[in-house]
Amino acid sequence: MSERDEREIRLGEARRLSQLLICVAEQAKAGFAAAVAPFGLPVPLARAFLTLGSSAPMRDLADRLACDRSYVTSLADQLEERGLVARVPGDDRRVKLLALTEAGEELRERMSTALAEQALVLRRLDDADRAALAPLLEKLVGDDEAGAPAGW
Amino acid sequence: MSERDEREIRLGEARRLSQLLICVAEQAKAGFAAAVAPFGLPVPLARAFLTLGSSAPMRDLADRLACDRSYVTSLADQLEERGLVARVPGDDRRVKLLALTEAGEELRERMSTALAEQALVLRRLDDADRAALAPLLEKLVGDDEAGAPAGW
DNA sequence: TATTGTTATACTCTATAACTATA
DNA sequence: TATAGTTATAGAGTATAACAATA
């Protein structure tokens, strides 16, 4: 088999694996949406809510979500309307922290559990599979940057 | 260790794995966007373009993309403007097929290769890793439905 | 009557630019 | 001068509803 053929085959397999990965990702996304829907939060709001630890400067949230500060303002407005977070003044008086309210903490606990329970990795894989998967995913994410351990 | 603790640990691990998976998915998405950008197609257009085999009824494309028929009309308009696909009448006279033009075929070939070459699974994993990953991803996608092997 | 594609319209998500208040 | 958050506005991506042609 020629070098060229080998390269072709390798590329073809990469394609197939990539597609599988995307497929899994889409199912995971759908799973997230489904798990979160009963709690009445639209997906982006839920993501922000869960990414926010129990308290963080708005700026930090923008970094973790990789979005603009102005969008965080809008997310914060919506979360505040729902009584899930409160803006509390920071040490530096330019800064505002977003802090979970009591209701927020409680909801986070419930959502977090619901999410884990329906996780694809739990429903489709056994212990051995999960043990094998973890290091592969770690290699895939690399040690680039972010890794944004998200709070949930 | 109590049953309850074991359950907690298991859920915690599921959470961690799920987050890793999402992380990988986001990087894969970013990789797709980056690989596709030089060809001048916005991401959703590229996705549609690649999902379309070399020819398919618009309705089928809507199914594969899991989107509304009206959106396919808009995607088809844009791809047609760029000379990448043509609407050809189907057998059933209600149906229109989207078929790649010659330019479309040529572009698809190049994009498809570019995509495979930059794939995360190729850049970060060795042969053994990829061999281990494939069956795990297959389990994860399950045999539900779609699986939509996407044409690229 | 049910289905295909189209049109017009509207909604969601998110960014950009300009602004205010601190630092 | 630079940074945090806000406001107003705009754009991309996508859906809904009503419609014409065909089955």
Side-chain angles (χ1 to χ4, degrees):
Chain A
M1 190 162 59
S2 78
E3 267 182 43
R4 202 174 159 285
D5 288 344
E6 275 183 36
R7 183 170 164 282
E8 278 303 314
I9 287 174
R10 183 178 300 261
L11 284 187
E13 281 170 3
R15 236 188 308 260
R16 202 180 112 59
L17 259 189
S18 297
Q19 285 169 210
L20 264 177
L21 202 54
I22 288 175
C23 225
V24 170
E26 271 166 12
Q27 285 192 237
K29 208 172 85 177
F32 183 94
V36 143
F39 298 98
L41 290 184
V43 169
L45 217 52
R47 184 169 161 251
F49 178 62
L50 292 169
T51 298
L52 179 63
S54 44
S55 161
M58 296 179 68
R59 178 51 196 257
D60 286 13
L61 190 54
D63 289 343
R64 287 190 227 155
L65 296 175
C67 75
D68 193 82
R69 287 165 4 262
S70 68
Y71 184 45
V72 172
T73 294
S74 138
L75 292 169
D77 287 346
Q78 298 174 68
L79 290 174
E80 218 173 23
E81 271 171 28
R82 292 162 201 253
L84 298 174
V85 312
R87 284 167 161 99
V88 317
D91 229 22
D92 179 334
R93 277 163 53 199
R94 288 172 302 185
V95 170
K96 290 177 192 165
L97 290 290
L98 293 184
L100 293 194
T101 61
E102 214 163 307
E105 293 283 7
E106 190 260 348
L107 180 63
R108 186 162 96 101
E109 184 58 33
R110 288 192 294 130
M111 272 182 54
S112 181
T113 301
L115 268 169
E117 276 169 349
Q118 63 84 50
L120 227 46
V121 291
L122 218 52
R123 282 170 29 230
R124 301 260 169 88
L125 300 183
D126 59 32
D127 287 347
D129 287 336
R130 285 197 293 277
L133 181 60
L136 294 174
L137 291 183
E138 271 156 20
K139 271 200 188 184
L140 278 173
V141 300
D143 15 40
D144 290 0
E145 17 55 278
W152 42 289
Chain B
M1 191 161 58
S2 77
E3 268 183 42
R4 201 171 160 286
D5 288 343
E6 275 183 38
R7 184 169 163 282
E8 279 302 313
I9 288 173
R10 182 178 300 261
L11 284 187
E13 280 169 6
R15 235 186 311 256
R16 200 181 114 59
L17 259 188
S18 297
Q19 285 170 211
L20 263 177
L21 201 54
I22 289 176
C23 224
V24 169
E26 271 164 13
Q27 285 192 236
K29 208 172 86 177
F32 183 94
V36 142
F39 298 97
L41 290 185
V43 169
L45 217 52
R47 181 167 165 252
F49 178 61
L50 293 169
T51 299
L52 180 63
S54 45
S55 160
M58 296 179 67
R59 176 53 195 255
D60 286 13
L61 190 54
D63 288 343
R64 287 191 226 157
L65 295 175
C67 74
D68 193 83
R69 292 176 344 272
S70 67
Y71 184 44
V72 172
T73 295
S74 140
L75 291 169
D77 287 347
Q78 299 174 67
L79 290 174
E80 217 172 24
E81 270 172 27
R82 291 162 200 253
L84 299 175
V85 312
R87 283 168 161 97
V88 316
D91 231 21
D92 178 334
R93 277 163 53 197
R94 288 171 303 182
V95 169
K96 290 176 193 167
L97 290 288
L98 293 184
L100 293 194
T101 61
E102 214 162 309
E105 292 282 5
E106 191 260 347
L107 180 63
R108 185 162 97 102
E109 183 59 33
R110 288 192 295 130
M111 272 182 52
S112 180
T113 301
L115 267 169
E117 275 169 349
Q118 64 84 50
L120 227 46
V121 291
L122 218 53
R123 282 169 32 227
R124 301 260 168 88
L125 300 184
D126 58 32
D127 288 348
D129 288 336
R130 284 197 293 278
L133 182 58
L136 294 174
L137 291 183
E138 271 156 20
K139 272 200 187 184
L140 277 174
V141 301
D143 16 39
D144 291 0
E145 17 55 275
W152 42 288

